[in-house]
Amino acid sequence: MELIRRHFDIIDSTNTWAKNHAHTLSRDKMTLVTAGQQTAGRGRFKRAWISPPGQNIYASFCFFVEKHTKEIGNIPQILALSNVKVLESLSFKPELKWPNDVLLSGKKVAGILAETTPLSDQLCLIIGIGLNVNMPLEILQGIDRPATSLLAETGSSHDIEKVLEMLQLQFMKDLDLFLDEGFHLFLSDYRQHMTYRKQIRFNDNRVVWEGELHAINADGSLSLKLPDGEIKTFIVGEILWPGE
Ligand code: BTN
């Protein structure tokens, strides 16, 4: 797939812009919407995504698929894995927190917000990623959950454009493979990078469950073993942080 880049020095949110302009985007090319700063960056579960100027990657990968394309729910996990590969090539040791958070030293360095907009017979997928590159400790400490950046992990700053280019190349490659072959090719890599926390607290958006992380299933869903032995499977939700 070819790629068109659309960059804004400052914008409310790259995902919001893409959603509002989906009808203007190319149907057969990928559009990568990026910003130097977001004034209303959005995270999952209606949280804010702190997006100060010139420090981090704020990017939304936008492309069209047929409405009933199989496994589209796994695409954010594919992007999380692409991000893991890029960070590994930069000598980091990233881990995944289901479904698509990327962690370094047990703290979140990247998050993904996936949204869709239907347009006639197709769906516009908007897969937004925030990757903390040069965010300093003072700002990270103001975030209400454990957060880190490449700078905080190494003490040295990274070239944001270079990291973005690596991510873009890796994701385009992984996405093509995924669309041709499906999630099964990525599953063992995904499982290997999971943060292993036997006992977890899990919020499915309505209820907080406690149990043992039982499995990541072939479709990317998560199964929890409850104290009474029952296995419960989730396709949405999040693993809570210790103390949350
Ligand atoms: C999360 O982990 O809660 C998801 C965070 C996603 C942040 C990115 S930054 C680029 C894109 N635009 C947004 O407003 N959000 C996503």
Side-chain angles (χ1 to χ4, degrees):
M1 219 188 291
E2 265 183 75
L3 184 137
I4 300 170
R5 173 89 177 263
R6 198 65 216 268
H7 181 78
F8 299 90
D9 288 339
I10 176 166
I11 199 156
D12 51 356
S13 146
T14 54
N15 266 40
T16 306
W17 185 90
K19 255 183 132 169
N20 293 339
H21 294 81
H23 59 285
T24 68
L25 303 179
S26 164
R27 292 275 180 137
D28 52 3
K29 296 189 178 105
M30 166 85 76
T31 305
L32 177 59
V33 184
T34 57
Q37 174 183 8
Q38 296 185 122
T39 53
R42 295 187 288 115
R44 296 177 74 219
F45 307 112
K46 300 198 160 68
R47 294 184 187 124
W49 187 257
I50 308 299
S51 312
Q55 293 177 359
N56 304 317
I57 290 174
Y58 315 116
S60 301
F61 290 92
C62 312
F63 54 100
F64 289 83
V65 293
E66 296 310 314
K67 261 192 183 147
H68 300 292
T69 307
K70 279 196 298 176
E71 303 188 309
I72 48 176
N74 296 121
I75 294 178
Q77 289 171 309
I78 298 294
L79 177 56
L81 256 185
S82 307
N83 192 10
V84 159
K85 291 176 202 166
V86 167
L87 294 179
E88 281 179 340
S89 74
L90 294 169
S91 305
F92 291 96
K93 299 228 173 321
E95 290 180 309
L96 289 167
K97 177 169 173 284
W98 190 92
N100 41 45
D101 287 350
V102 178
L103 312 188
L104 291 176
S105 317
K107 291 176 253 175
K108 181 157 161 173
V109 72
I112 293 173
L113 177 67
E115 301 182 287
T116 56
T117 301
L119 277 182
S120 55
D121 52 333
Q122 290 189 310
L123 267 188
C124 179
L125 304 187
I126 300 162
I127 319 288
I129 181 164
L131 168 60
N132 298 335
V133 181
N134 296 325
M135 204 182 225
L137 276 178
E138 312 85 83
I139 300 191
L140 290 166
Q141 280 159 357
I143 297 177
D144 59 356
R145 290 188 171 72
T148 192
S149 67
L150 304 190
L151 172 67
E153 294 299 307
T154 57
S156 49
S157 52
H158 285 70
D159 184 330
I160 296 172
E161 269 305 309
K162 218 180 248 169
V163 179
L164 176 64
E165 195 192 330
M166 291 168 80
L167 183 61
Q168 166 196 319
L169 290 173
Q170 186 64 51
F171 180 56
M172 299 291 279
K173 194 167 130 196
D174 290 340
L175 180 66
D176 276 345
L177 193 60
F178 167 79
L179 292 171
D180 285 347
E181 302 281 340
F183 190 59
H184 70 100
L185 272 191
F186 296 86
L187 187 61
S188 81
D189 208 10
Y190 186 92
R191 283 178 174 147
Q192 274 165 29
H193 284 93
M194 284 280 296
T195 33
Y196 185 67
R197 296 230 182 80
K198 239 178 142 43
Q199 209 59 33
I200 60 169
R201 296 179 76 239
F202 186 87
N203 184 356
D204 72 358
N205 257 339
R206 291 180 308 121
V207 179
V208 174
W209 302 87
E210 287 193 37
E212 213 173 87
L213 200 164
H214 179 68
I216 299 299
N217 305 302
D219 62 358
S221 60
L222 176 147
S223 290
L224 200 60
K225 186 174 186 185
L226 302 181
D228 66 0
E230 186 194 344
I231 307 288
K232 254 191 124 28
T233 297
F234 301 92
I235 52 169
V236 288
E238 66 174 344
I239 299 171
L240 296 178
W241 295 93
E244 224 180 355

